Amino acid sequence: MLSFVSARGFGAGDPGFRKVAKPFLAKHCNACHSTKAKVANLDLERFRTVDAVLAEQELWDKAARKIRTGEMPPKGRPAPSNAEVDGILTWLTNEYARYDKSVRPDPGRVTARRLNRAEYNNTIRDLVGIDLRPAETFPVDDSGYGFDNIGDVLSMSPALMEKYMIAASRIAKAAIAVPRTFKETSDRYRSDRVKHNGPVGSLEVKHSFPVEADYELRIAIAGRRAIPEDGLRIVALIDGKEERTFDIVAPPNRPRVLDLKIRPKAGPHTLRAHFIDAQGKVVNEDRGMLVEYLDVRGPYNPAPFEPPPSHAKVLICGEWPGKYDDACLRQIVAEFTRRAFRRPVTPQEVDSFYRYVKVAKDDGESAEVALRYALQAVLVSPQFLFRIERHPKPTDPKASHVIGDFELATRLSYFLWASMPDETLYQLAQQKQLRKPGVLEQQVDRMIADAKFAGFVDNFLGQWLELRNLDEVKPAPEKFPEFDTALRAAMKKETQLFFEHVARNDQSILQFLNSDYTFLNARLARHYGISEVEGDDFRMVKLATAQRGGILTHASLLTVSSYPNRTSPVLRGKFLLENFLNAPPPPPPPNVPTLEEQAATNKGSLRQQMEKHRTNAVCASCHSRMDALGFGLENYDAVGKWRDRDGEFSIDSSGELPGQRKFASPAELKSILMEERNDFAMALAEKMIIYALGRGLERNDRPQLRQIVRNLAASGYKFKHLVMEIVKSAPFQMRRGEGGKS
Amino acid sequence: MITRKHLRRRTFLRGLGTTVALPLLDAMTPAFAAPSKAGAKPPTRMAFVYVPNGIIMQDWTPSEEGASFAFKPIMSPMEPHRDKMLVLTGLTQNGGRALGDGPGDHARAAASFLTGMHPRKTAGADIKIGISVDQVAAQKIGAATRFASLELGLEDGRLVGSCDSGYSCAYSNNLAWRTENSPLPPEINPRLVFERLFGSGDEVEDATARARRLKYEKSILDSVAAETGSLKTTLGPTDQRKLDEYLHSVREIEKRIAANERDHQDVAPPFSKPAGAPLDYSEHCRLMYDLMTVAMQMDATRVITLMMGREGSSRAYREIGISDAHHPLTHHRNDETMVNKVKQINRYHVEQFAYFIQKLRNTPDGDGSLLDHSMIVYGSGLADGNRHTHHDLPVLLMGGGNGTLKPGRHVRYANDTPMNNLFVAMLDRMGVEVESLGDSKGKLGYLSEL
């Protein structure tokens, strides 16, 4: 739909192509990549005009990268001079820039996005004011383009719909309390009926207490023996904490019953009674006695009701309990619907939900119960579950339009908070202020500073750097006995805090590549061999050596890019190419097995084995760059700990990237990467745009992506600048219709 | 013996205090027969069990054909069920092959397995494969049961990162496709499967409260369906398709509620509610297989799919002392140590599956066992995981198919026989007649005759 405009007048003379590109191709490329030879299925000879070049930008992006990094022309061919390389690259960059300004931006089209699990949880939290996290039990959302908020991929199934129904009912119940009276009941748990994991003779049960109140706990002991000479005592525990210890005095030839009063908070608690001996040790063998049953009776003297925080958000008029007139009930429904739909609602829409209140009240339900039904209906409406954007001409692919203010507020809030817009954003949209000069900047600032920005860190960073996989990795315990949940959590936290720091303080995104500080607590500092950091709390730490610095050296990233039992230079190299250098390697060609390196064995070090592999020219074309990057990080083991040896071999973290760029340590590798900052910026920008839009990028997006990165570079790579550039871009501000596609 | 009377719902609810995972007690089964219409012929059930990353085929395929084949090591846990199994050799999923699309065999293996189609190569936009055999059956016979089908799994979809060489994760995470672009994601948490079958047990509900709740739910579903209908007219085709998926789901739930009202009885679950997905793989398998058995036994559904791992899975099977990730191991390049580890994993999977078959076999159903009235497919969309081959797939067909199969044999078919021929033959036996499915070319023969 966006045909290249030849009316710009290059067709005729096209001096740039003739003077710069053509001689370069003729001298350095066409020997192999001619129309006839077509090595690697690439024909560069057929390009005769700049128009032809601009019509195949993906191809030329790749060619330019190979020329820049020195991958092409390959070893053994005369290398072009620096001036020649600069010449052709500058020519292409300028042609791109000119092209980008000349085309009318195509905003593209975003498919209606179902809220994914994280968005659903956050939205419910902000909508009702209680963090219920109901989506934990929903199926994992499929992802596309590396993210799980892609409209096209987020599907809907009956099983999920069932969960939405259940969740809606639970949320409505939690959000609106009903006055309750508690009947006193008695529950008996018998040891011959209950299976549990407590010690022999004990009894452990989980009991759900309806309300914080006094309860009577009764422990019945049975046993054949009379007074135990060894001084057995019995302990009552709640949630593992000792509540009371009883001496056992009477001969227990029939159940002996011990009573105690407890006052647990509402909710499930673990109740246990077990025996201890004279030394206070828990008995875990048959001593002829056992806990026969536990009784729980109550509640007595229930604690006065405390309204949940949701009442303030939802019950905006009237008085709890029960005092709501019809106008107020309708207002409650109207407000809730408006907030849930993230836009103003029509009286008809309100009626369609208020209807449930009326019907339920006619059924004799209380106002609270009646309101719950209305809430439940709103929460399963497609207008809540999906972010639907209206389009005046939905089927005309040529019709672009600026999205409405409420739609923009919604895009913003799901981008930076992974949640619904707050009242401030909503009001700005209502007053048509959002697009006034300076307002978007102000709001983006405010949103990044807000605690809800954690939604961005969790979801964007968690997926860009695959940090989410950190929850799942299971480093082999026999090799990494030190890896535990505390370390796992600390690894993740470091990267999150670091990212937040850069974002909130509007630092350069290049700090992700290298920095002289990080965030540590005692556990992680120990892992890094850094002393003088104490306690569980994280703090900013100035790094004294070049061992660490930048996200590449974070244990989190190094762990998720390793196998459970060893490092993998290939995996790490691939990780860097994909996520940092915007150069995802093509998958291995068909019928060539993946280069899966083996663990260091007596056949030589891992590195020696891999180098042998790379003598294969087909493998070498990709692996020379990929493996070199990975080798540069070999000083970090599979859980990111610094090492100088791997088994009997000493670590060699030197390498050479195509173009004779050599490095001897991780620190030197990082300085080489700093030279490729433009690729890094492009990688990060592309990922962030995909995340912000909820769709993959297409060829028509490339001009805008390049423009964003050009502006970003001019700003000194400031984080907020990147966010603002995305927010202001046509794809974020506009949408177009859709053509008939199969 | 425990009878249903002893396990009233109330008892069960009180017992929820303890959420210890207990395998289904065989002794309980008599109390728990399907709500069968007395004298009626038991229904035929079908299930599909998928294992990822292929199988070491030289230790799988029997050398002999016919009834007296010898078991190779990987298949040997199935030996007690020789009389109830068909080993099918030579079947191919051509749609799994590259066909010009380059790498991505894992994504294609899972996507083609039950569809017989070639997935469109896309990381997200316009995913497209084809309707899967289980869903063809579910759409025809699903109305008879509470759940048209159940989709289960033992491993969550990959949390993050690209899945396979430019293919959306939807392809490698799902087996069941309701339409060519709507996958049905598997549920991996046994507790949630349990709650779907038996209710959450959150609160005790009497008949009046239940009726009232169902009335509102129906009304809510009704009105969101109407709302969706009018909303759709203002949207472009892709957005409409998304809302169609939604609408279909709403209609499904409506049907379920109707079925529930019709057939509702206080069914006591035969075992207590599982706490969640256990870390131990065998335990996780057993819970799922118990739930599958009970779902079939209750006639809550007649169609089930189970992914024992997502395709391309890198699970480390520490339970059997293998700490290497599964997928990298399968690229063994004939390294003996690696091959042996893969064999152990393959066999371990078969052992779990044998537990399921034993369970079905032990469960009386009408005039025979549940196994007699079922057709259970076990297999992988890859044969050789090292070379990514899509022909000669490992396939078992277990059960008697309600008298329509003649098990106890190893059958070898001509090279490149479409796997979908088997599915057409199975659908036929389910009473679902289709002319063709995916790339099928007729009905697979030699299943009921020699």
Side-chain angles (χ1 to χ4, degrees):
Chain A
M1 61 218 52
L2 214 150
S3 66
F4 178 66
V5 206
S6 61
R8 290 183 305 111
F10 288 140
D14 205 355
F17 188 84
R18 242 182 326 110
K19 279 192 200 147
V20 186
K22 204 173 161 202
F24 188 97
L25 291 176
K27 187 167 166 197
H28 297 293
C29 310
N30 290 354
C32 298
H33 302 297
S34 65
T35 308
K36 236 190 200 155
K38 228 180 167 177
V39 170
N41 206 21
L42 175 64
D43 170 11
L44 290 173
E45 201 183 27
R46 68 194 159 92
F47 291 96
R48 303 244 151 93
T49 62
V50 70
D51 288 3
V53 168
L54 290 169
E56 294 187 49
Q57 295 175 13
E58 290 92 339
L59 188 156
W60 281 87
D61 283 347
K62 213 164 125 191
R65 189 169 59 234
K66 300 231 173 201
I67 296 169
R68 192 178 59 247
T69 59
E71 274 171 89
M72 284 287 152
K75 267 189 183 162
R77 301 275 313 169
S81 72
N82 286 345
E84 282 177 298
V85 170
D86 280 353
I88 187 157
L89 294 180
T90 312
W91 167 77
L92 191 65
T93 308
N94 291 341
E95 287 302 336
Y96 274 170
R98 201 172 340 190
Y99 170 82
D100 296 348
K101 291 205 177 80
S102 73
V103 294
R104 204 161 63 103
D106 172 13
R109 188 195 52 79
V110 177
T111 301
R113 270 156 295 172
R114 173 171 68 67
L115 300 183
N116 66 18
R117 295 199 300 178
E119 291 166 345
Y120 187 93
N121 277 339
N122 294 344
T123 304
I124 292 299
R125 176 200 64 203
D126 296 341
L127 184 62
V128 302
I130 319 178
D131 196 6
L132 295 164
R133 314 197 69 74
E136 308 281 287
T137 62
F138 297 176
V140 169
D141 301 303
D142 287 329
S143 53
Y145 311 104
F147 294 97
D148 64 0
N149 65 349
I150 306 298
D152 279 310
V153 180
L154 287 166
S155 59
M156 184 83 185
S157 64
L160 181 57
M161 189 64 211
E162 207 171 282
K163 292 190 170 163
Y164 281 142
M165 286 293 285
I166 295 168
S169 139
R170 287 188 184 160
I171 294 160
K173 278 182 189 148
I176 302 179
V178 292
R180 287 174 73 184
T181 50
F182 297 96
K183 257 190 263 165
E184 291 164 18
T185 59
S186 173
D187 288 285
R188 172 162 298 183
Y189 298 97
R190 294 172 46 125
S191 61
D192 55 348
R193 298 268 174 85
V194 173
K195 212 170 147 77
H196 66 94
N197 297 320
V200 176
S202 74
L203 182 55
E204 181 178 288
V205 300
K206 199 164 228 177
H207 183 82
S208 208
F209 294 89
V211 59
E212 178 180 347
D214 292 335
Y215 295 85
E216 190 184 331
L217 179 61
R218 172 165 289 187
I219 304 166
I221 309 164
R224 290 186 309 273
R225 297 204 324 179
I227 306 165
E229 285 88 24
D230 41 1
L232 286 190
R233 284 170 298 162
I234 187 151
V235 188
L237 304 98
I238 299 180
D239 297 328
K241 274 211 296 253
E242 178 181 336
E243 187 74 19
R244 207 161 129 194
T245 301
F246 297 91
D247 291 325
I248 305 165
V249 284
N253 46 9
R254 58 171 182 227
R256 159 126 174 80
V257 173
L258 307 165
D259 278 319
L260 69 154
K261 196 176 92 174
I262 56 175
R263 193 174 178 85
K265 294 241 182 275
H269 293 281
T270 305
L271 307 176
R272 187 206 260 200
H274 64 214
F275 294 96
I276 55 171
D277 61 20
Q279 286 75 45
K281 237 180 103 230
V282 178
V283 173
N284 192 12
E285 68 207 358
D286 187 1
R287 297 277 191 101
M289 296 186 75
L290 59 85
V291 178
E292 193 187 17
Y293 62 83
L294 291 178
D295 278 350
V296 183
R297 296 177 185 190
Y300 311 110
N301 310 318
F305 175 77
E306 268 185 54
S310 50
H311 281 192
K313 286 229 177 214
V314 179
L315 302 176
I316 49 169
C317 52
E319 195 188 324
W320 194 90
K323 291 193 191 115
Y324 305 93
D325 60 26
D326 287 350
C328 167
L329 288 172
R330 195 171 187 288
Q331 200 191 337
I332 289 172
V333 174
E335 266 299 285
F336 187 80
T337 311
R338 168 188 78 78
R339 295 175 57 240
F341 288 5
R342 306 165 278 260
R343 60 166 173 80
V345 284
T346 64
Q348 292 77 22
E349 282 175 320
V350 177
D351 284 340
S352 72
F353 295 108
Y354 179 57
R355 194 161 55 87
Y356 296 101
V357 178
K358 283 194 289 192
V359 174
K361 285 186 71 182
D362 289 347
D363 277 350
E365 300 281 15
S366 69
E368 285 83 4
V369 171
L371 278 172
R372 284 174 174 178
Y373 286 120
L375 260 57
Q376 198 182 336
V378 171
L379 292 174
V380 295
S381 159
Q383 315 214 50
F384 168 70
L385 295 173
F386 289 83
R387 290 155 58 193
I388 295 168
E389 293 173 341
R390 307 294 182 113
H391 195 292
K393 291 179 181 167
T395 52
D396 179 358
K398 292 203 182 69
S400 292
H401 78 128
V402 172
I403 58 170
D405 284 34
F406 294 105
E407 291 168 343
L408 180 61
T410 297
R411 280 193 180 191
L412 262 181
S413 69
Y414 282 92
F415 174 27
L416 293 176
W417 287 344
S419 185
M420 60 184 275
D422 65 356
E423 275 310 294
T424 310
L425 280 174
Y426 189 90
Q427 291 307 327
L428 287 169
Q430 178 95 296
Q431 294 150 16
K432 302 227 168 285
Q433 295 288 314
L434 260 185
R435 288 186 166 101
K436 292 271 156 68
V439 174
L440 273 179
E441 283 84 348
Q442 226 175 46
Q443 288 308 306
V444 165
D445 267 355
R446 180 179 74 89
M447 293 175 79
I448 290 177
D450 194 286
K452 283 188 276 189
F453 186 64
F456 181 82
V457 178
D458 266 0
N459 295 294
F460 174 71
L461 179 69
Q463 295 183 84
W464 170 42
L465 296 181
E466 304 181 12
L467 285 191
R468 276 191 193 171
N469 288 343
L470 205 52
D471 302 334
E472 303 277 303
V473 294
K474 291 172 188 147
E478 64 276 14
K479 290 217 164 161
F480 307 103
E482 75 275 21
F483 188 87
D484 56 12
T485 45
L487 183 58
R488 188 197 296 269
M491 286 178 175
K492 194 170 188 179
K493 191 85 186 165
E494 176 193 20
T495 309
Q496 290 179 333
L497 287 173
F498 184 81
F499 184 86
E500 260 175 38
H501 176 84
V502 170
R504 292 225 161 103
N505 297 291
D506 200 13
Q507 302 278 312
S508 158
I509 58 165
L510 300 181
Q511 299 219 342
F512 296 142
L513 290 179
N514 201 4
S515 69
D516 59 0
Y517 64 90
T518 190
F519 293 82
L520 300 175
N521 68 356
R523 181 74 188 82
L524 192 58
R526 182 148 53 86
H527 190 62
Y528 286 176
I530 292 173
S531 51
E532 287 168 21
V533 179
E534 276 158 33
D536 288 341
D537 292 339
F538 278 79
R539 80 220 55 179
M540 194 166 171
V541 175
K542 193 97 177 147
L543 295 165
T545 74
Q547 270 190 13
R548 306 275 166 183
I551 288 183
L552 285 184
T553 65
H554 285 195
S556 57
L557 184 151
L558 294 160
T559 303
V560 298
S561 60
S562 295
Y563 286 125
N565 50 356
R566 59 183 168 87
T567 59
S568 162
V570 178
L571 277 190
R572 282 184 180 165
K574 182 164 171 269
F575 188 96
L576 288 189
L577 288 176
E578 277 175 353
N579 300 321
F580 277 71
L581 293 171
N582 199 35
N591 308 323
V592 172
T594 325
L595 177 61
E596 288 293 350
E597 69 283 10
Q598 278 175 272
T601 62
N602 50 14
K603 282 185 263 168
S605 71
L606 177 57
R607 185 189 186 93
Q608 286 157 3
Q609 289 179 54
M610 289 180 64
E611 275 167 1
K612 215 159 64 191
H613 261 287
R614 259 179 303 156
T615 51
N616 177 336
V618 183
C619 305
S621 66
C622 290
H623 281 277
S624 56
R625 191 167 181 220
M626 188 159 37
D627 299 0
L629 289 167
F631 278 127
L633 297 173
E634 268 295 274
N635 276 124
Y636 307 97
D637 71 12
V639 292
K641 196 179 185 131
W642 183 270
R643 60 179 178 179
D644 294 308
R645 305 189 66 77
D646 180 16
E648 56 181 293
F649 303 98
S650 58
I651 295 285
D652 172 6
S653 60
S654 67
E656 180 180 342
L657 284 163
Q660 285 120 48
R661 292 176 302 162
K662 291 186 180 158
F663 56 87
S665 66
E668 288 182 22
L669 170 65
K670 285 190 294 185
S671 10
I672 293 183
L673 293 179
M674 283 298 262
E675 290 167 15
E676 304 196 4
R677 60 186 64 187
N678 199 59
D679 283 348
F680 173 70
M682 192 69 100
L684 177 56
E686 179 168 341
K687 302 272 181 194
M688 204 183 281
I689 296 172
I690 290 172
Y691 177 80
L693 297 177
R695 66 170 173 85
L697 296 192
E698 288 166 24
R699 158 193 252 217
N700 291 345
D701 296 310
R702 303 218 69 85
Q704 288 153 94
L705 175 61
R706 284 192 295 255
Q707 194 54 46
I708 286 171
V709 174
R710 273 192 287 268
N711 294 347
L712 178 62
S715 83
Y717 295 101
K718 289 288 174 40
F719 182 89
K720 281 185 190 167
H721 202 93
L722 173 57
V723 173
M724 268 324 293
E725 282 292 327
I726 292 172
V727 167
K728 288 192 307 197
S729 70
F732 197 86
Q733 295 274 342
M734 301 167 72
R735 66 183 279 128
R736 68 163 157 78
E738 180 181 10
K741 227 190 320 185
S742 70
Chain B
M1 190 176 88
I2 299 170
T3 66
R4 178 180 292 170
K5 211 169 162 191
H6 287 113
L7 271 173
R8 296 296 305 178
R9 190 170 170 81
R10 255 174 200 289
T11 328
F12 154 57
L13 291 171
R14 186 156 318 138
L16 278 180
T18 58
T19 48
V20 182
L22 290 176
L24 168 55
L25 299 177
D26 290 326
M28 287 184 177
T29 48
F32 201 61
S36 68
K37 305 71 192 167
K41 191 172 152 69
T44 311
R45 286 82 156 191
M46 74 200 308
F48 301 86
V49 176
Y50 187 88
V51 285
N53 301 332
I55 284 178
I56 304 288
M57 294 304 285
Q58 69 265 28
D59 272 14
W60 167 272
T61 313
S63 312
E64 311 81 8
E65 289 170 53
S68 53
F69 63 89
F71 277 85
K72 292 278 180 75
I74 291 173
M75 207 191 285
S76 64
M78 300 306 292
E79 201 154 356
H81 307 295
R82 173 196 285 274
D83 58 327
K84 302 285 182 187
M85 72 194 285
L86 281 162
V87 184
L88 308 178
T89 299
L91 301 181
T92 295
Q93 270 309 9
N94 187 48
R97 290 173 171 154
L99 309 182
D101 284 348
D105 287 291
H106 287 282
R108 286 193 299 260
S112 64
F113 190 67
L114 295 186
T115 61
M117 298 284 282
H118 185 61
R120 179 185 280 164
K121 189 160 192 171
T122 165
D126 37 281
I127 48 174
K128 183 176 176 188
I129 169 78
I131 184 166
S132 55
V133 53
D134 57 305
Q135 291 307 303
V136 174
Q139 280 158 30
K140 273 279 162 56
I141 61 166
T145 54
R146 200 141 56 90
F147 300 95
S149 61
L150 284 181
E151 291 73 39
L152 308 174
L154 294 168
E155 186 177 29
D156 246 335
R158 188 166 158 74
L159 284 180
V160 72
S162 58
C163 273
D164 189 6
S165 313
Y167 283 99
S168 161
C169 296
Y171 292 129
S172 37
N173 289 345
N174 303 296
L175 276 188
W177 290 77
R178 190 179 60 76
T179 68
E180 60 181 26
N181 37 40
S182 309
L184 296 173
E187 174 63 69
I188 69 146
N189 187 337
R191 182 171 65 85
L192 299 177
V193 180
F194 182 97
E195 288 183 355
R196 290 186 73 193
L197 292 173
F198 300 108
S200 71
D202 273 0
E203 46 196 286
V204 183
E205 201 177 37
D206 62 25
T208 336
R210 233 185 98 256
R212 181 169 289 180
R213 175 173 59 78
L214 291 179
K215 176 182 111 178
Y216 284 102
E217 283 182 1
K218 270 197 298 191
S219 159
I220 288 173
L221 291 168
D222 235 26
S223 74
V224 292
E227 181 190 345
T228 312
S230 61
L231 189 62
K232 260 176 61 181
T233 58
T234 64
L235 302 174
T238 309
D239 286 355
Q240 288 198 15
R241 209 183 69 212
K242 284 284 151 193
L243 287 188
D244 280 337
E245 270 182 19
Y246 171 89
L247 203 54
H248 169 82
S249 304
V250 168
R251 295 286 180 225
E252 255 324 279
I253 310 294
E254 284 182 326
K255 271 192 254 167
R256 234 166 256 178
I257 289 178
N260 207 4
E261 277 182 323
R262 193 180 60 220
D263 311 333
H264 181 79
Q265 44 188 344
D266 267 349
V267 180
F271 46 98
S272 56
K273 179 150 94 168
L279 291 174
D280 181 88
Y281 188 74
S282 308
E283 199 187 326
H284 196 175
C285 284
R286 277 200 304 274
L287 280 173
M288 276 305 184
Y289 283 135
D290 288 348
L291 287 160
M292 286 165 71
T293 308
V294 86
M296 288 162 88
Q297 191 187 2
M298 287 162 74
D299 204 21
T301 187
R302 292 172 192 171
V303 181
I304 305 178
T305 48
L306 172 75
M307 287 189 102
M308 290 187 65
R310 62 168 183 259
E311 185 48 64
S313 165
S314 278
R315 192 180 197 291
Y317 290 87
R318 298 234 163 76
E319 293 84 354
I320 48 169
I322 296 178
S323 60
D324 313 65
H326 185 189
H327 172 232
L329 266 186
T330 58
H331 290 287
H332 48 68
R333 301 182 316 277
N334 300 317
D335 174 301
E336 204 182 323
T337 330
M338 292 170 86
V339 172
N340 278 332
K341 286 182 179 173
V342 178
K343 285 181 187 170
Q344 285 178 53
I345 295 172
N346 292 159
R347 190 185 148 103
Y348 182 55
H349 282 148
V350 176
E351 282 167 8
Q352 311 308 311
F353 180 65
Y355 169 86
F356 177 45
I357 297 303
Q358 186 65 53
K359 186 119 247 168
L360 293 176
R361 196 171 188 147
N362 291 350
T363 308
D365 184 55
D367 55 354
S369 73
L370 213 42
L371 186 59
D372 292 332
H373 306 139
S374 300
M375 292 182 280
I376 318 285
V377 170
Y378 180 89
S380 177
L382 288 172
D384 180 343
N386 182 34
R387 290 186 303 129
H388 290 164
T389 55
H390 300 271
H391 60 274
D392 241 340
L393 296 175
V395 182
L396 299 180
L397 177 60
M398 306 296 304
N402 231 340
T404 65
L405 297 175
K406 193 173 170 66
R409 294 172 300 137
H410 171 211
V411 187
R412 188 180 286 278
Y413 295 93
N415 281 344
D416 273 2
T417 303
M419 173 92 169
N420 271 35
N421 290 3
L422 167 65
F423 297 153
V424 174
M426 286 173 72
L427 286 174
D428 197 39
R429 287 165 169 78
M430 296 290 289
V432 179
E433 274 182 51
V434 293
E435 208 132 289
S436 67
L437 176 75
D439 64 350
S440 73
K441 296 187 185 76
K443 273 180 218 159
L444 194 67
Y446 308 105
L447 294 177
S448 39
E449 69 280 8
L450 296 177

